[in-house]
Amino acid sequence: MPKRLATRTQRLTGTPRNLARLAAALRRGDLVAVPTETVYGLAGNALDPKACRRIFAAKRRPTNDPLIVHIHELGQWDALAEVPPEALLVAGAFWPGPLTIVLPKKPVVPDLATSGLPSVAVRMPAHPLFRRLLKTCGLPLAAPSANPFGYLSPTTAQHVLDNLSGRIPFVLDGGACDIGVESTILDLRNPRRPVILRPGAIHADDLSRVLRCAVTPYRGKKTPPGSTAVAPGMLEQHYSPRTPLVLVGRATAATFKSLGSGDALVLMAKPTRRFPVPSGASVRWLSAEHDPAAAAHSLFTCLRKLDTSGHSRILVELPRGRSALAEAMRDRLTRAAAKTRPGTDVSPE
Ligand code: TXA
Ligand code: MG
């Protein structure tokens, strides 16, 4: 089991002084949890294998699940990856933003960061505080989501502290993340056959328009536990609360009636009729049908709250619709509900 840090985790706001202090910590090889427009990340110097090792240890993430490298400006990309013109095209359209691009890696990127894969995932984030930190430290920063491996991603600094307090020295508090679900991952290793490895706020159709070719979802095998994920967003079970999560079809009177004491039901729209809620059960709703952005923004917060309030089950409707965020939420919820556990202890403390 990784050692606990003796120091308590410091939560810092983004003053110029604090940013300078955090940049110095990153240059020394320390870790800083950072806000991004998608979810909070756990950042460390991507070029320093020791810092990368600390990231895996703090998250209890198996080293066969590679890290995303974050950059501040396009000029940093060439040093890390073989960048084809197609990649520059999509980066021009969507960076800074919630898009991660996978390309063949250059030797400067430590094998540990990419779990031995010959490719590297790179993203230029949009969050202003994280951007200032990237600029101040002048390093590419490896940053997976700042949650214990397998658990729900954090979308506030408090979520990070709830799971990683005492295991990391710093969290930079940038408020709640705008988007609330992780970036779209686009595999451009073969620029003529772009593949989405993980759906996010940037839709395949938007990428298709820019690339002028079909962009298809990954259709390969799910990653078996313990092996290096070539399409790691494809871990069958991930993003899970500790409370069993069960997907339900469109909730009807029968769904409400079947709720047991201790069950929580999450609906994707405000119910149009009032159904009686059995005693001891609770019902929440997100606005996924009318406002997928608002629903994505609060999805993980909602699941975390239910997960820490003693429910026996969380029943969730799947959002409908073709929007990028509805697709991303369906993807995360389906994985959260999957019964296969990866070959690692995923329970947060
Ligand atoms: O929005 C996001 O992407 C957030 C913020 C912090 O940037 N990061 C994030 O990182 O979600 P993480 O590590 O939780 O998820 C990144 C996914 C993992 O499933 C990983 O396996 C995959 O990206 N990945 C990393 N490097 C890869 C590579 N070379 N090829 C394919 N997938 C890769
Ligand atoms: Mg993650």
Side-chain angles (χ1 to χ4, degrees):
M1 213 200 277
K3 265 190 281 173
R4 283 200 160 268
L5 297 173
T7 50
R8 94 189 152 80
T9 305
Q10 293 186 61
R11 175 183 192 150
L12 300 178
T13 55
T15 62
R17 207 170 148 195
N18 285 344
L19 289 176
R21 189 171 158 208
L22 293 174
L26 287 163
R27 283 194 291 264
R28 286 198 298 273
D30 273 344
L31 305 187
V32 179
V34 292
T36 87
E37 71 277 30
T38 57
V39 300
Y40 272 72
L42 181 57
N45 180 358
L47 305 181
D48 174 0
K50 275 196 201 130
C52 295
R53 194 167 291 288
R54 283 190 179 137
I55 294 176
F56 285 105
K59 276 181 61 90
R60 299 200 172 140
R61 173 172 172 132
T63 50
N64 60 13
D65 191 1
L67 309 174
I68 294 179
V69 178
H70 296 72
I71 56 174
H72 175 255
E73 54 184 8
L74 279 180
Q76 291 172 289
W77 204 9
D78 272 336
L80 305 170
E82 306 288 348
V83 183
E86 291 84 351
L88 289 172
L89 213 56
V90 272
F94 300 107
W95 278 2
L99 177 70
T100 297
I101 302 174
V102 175
L103 290 172
K105 90 172 184 81
K106 292 213 172 141
V108 69
V109 182
D111 285 340
L112 186 61
T114 64
S115 303
L117 289 177
S119 61
V120 61
V122 178
R123 174 160 108 83
M124 186 193 288
H127 194 289
L129 271 192
F130 187 23
R131 290 189 57 71
R132 256 179 262 156
L133 184 60
L134 278 162
K135 188 174 182 191
T136 312
C137 76
L139 294 166
L141 295 176
S145 52
N147 50 285
F149 178 67
Y151 195 58
L152 300 162
S153 294
T155 55
T156 66
Q158 188 57 48
H159 293 166
V160 176
L161 290 168
D162 289 345
N163 296 144
L164 297 181
S165 186
R167 300 179 68 83
I168 57 170
F170 302 106
V171 53
L172 172 61
D173 192 344
C177 302
D178 256 8
I179 296 175
V181 292
E182 306 80 355
S183 61
T184 302
I185 303 182
L186 175 68
D187 182 355
L188 269 183
R189 284 173 307 158
N190 179 348
R192 295 211 196 115
R193 288 183 185 270
V195 174
I196 302 263
L197 301 182
R198 180 177 70 184
I202 309 282
H203 198 277
D205 292 350
D206 300 323
L207 294 164
S208 260
R209 258 190 297 279
V210 171
L211 287 168
R212 294 167 182 254
C213 69
V215 176
T216 52
Y218 178 76
R219 287 193 217 283
K221 288 204 189 101
K222 307 268 188 226
T223 306
S227 65
T228 291
V230 179
M234 296 295 124
L235 279 176
E236 197 164 356
Q237 194 268 349
H238 210 51
Y239 313 106
S240 300
R242 276 162 286 180
T243 313
L245 188 145
V246 181
L247 300 178
V248 296
R250 177 59 60 116
T252 60
T255 319
F256 279 76
K257 212 166 156 194
S258 72
L259 293 176
S261 172
D263 280 350
L265 173 64
V266 182
L267 304 173
M268 289 297 147
K270 188 172 176 178
T272 45
R273 285 176 45 199
R274 275 183 70 86
F275 295 110
V277 178
S279 96
S282 61
V283 177
R284 309 271 160 101
W285 61 84
L286 302 169
S287 52
E289 311 269 298
H290 299 112
D291 191 350
H297 176 78
S298 44
L299 178 68
F300 288 153
T301 298
C302 170
L303 294 178
R304 276 174 176 262
K305 271 194 197 138
L306 295 174
D307 194 31
T308 48
S309 42
H311 288 95
S312 39
R313 291 190 308 166
I314 305 173
L315 291 86
V316 190
E317 275 184 340
L318 276 186
R320 296 169 180 215
R322 287 209 67 241
S323 72
L325 288 168
E327 239 170 67
M329 285 189 279
R330 278 198 295 275
D331 171 78
R332 306 308 188 269
L333 288 168
T334 307
R335 287 178 212 290
K339 295 209 173 49
T340 345
R341 300 235 146 210
T344 317
D345 174 14
V346 296
S347 52
E349 300 195 315

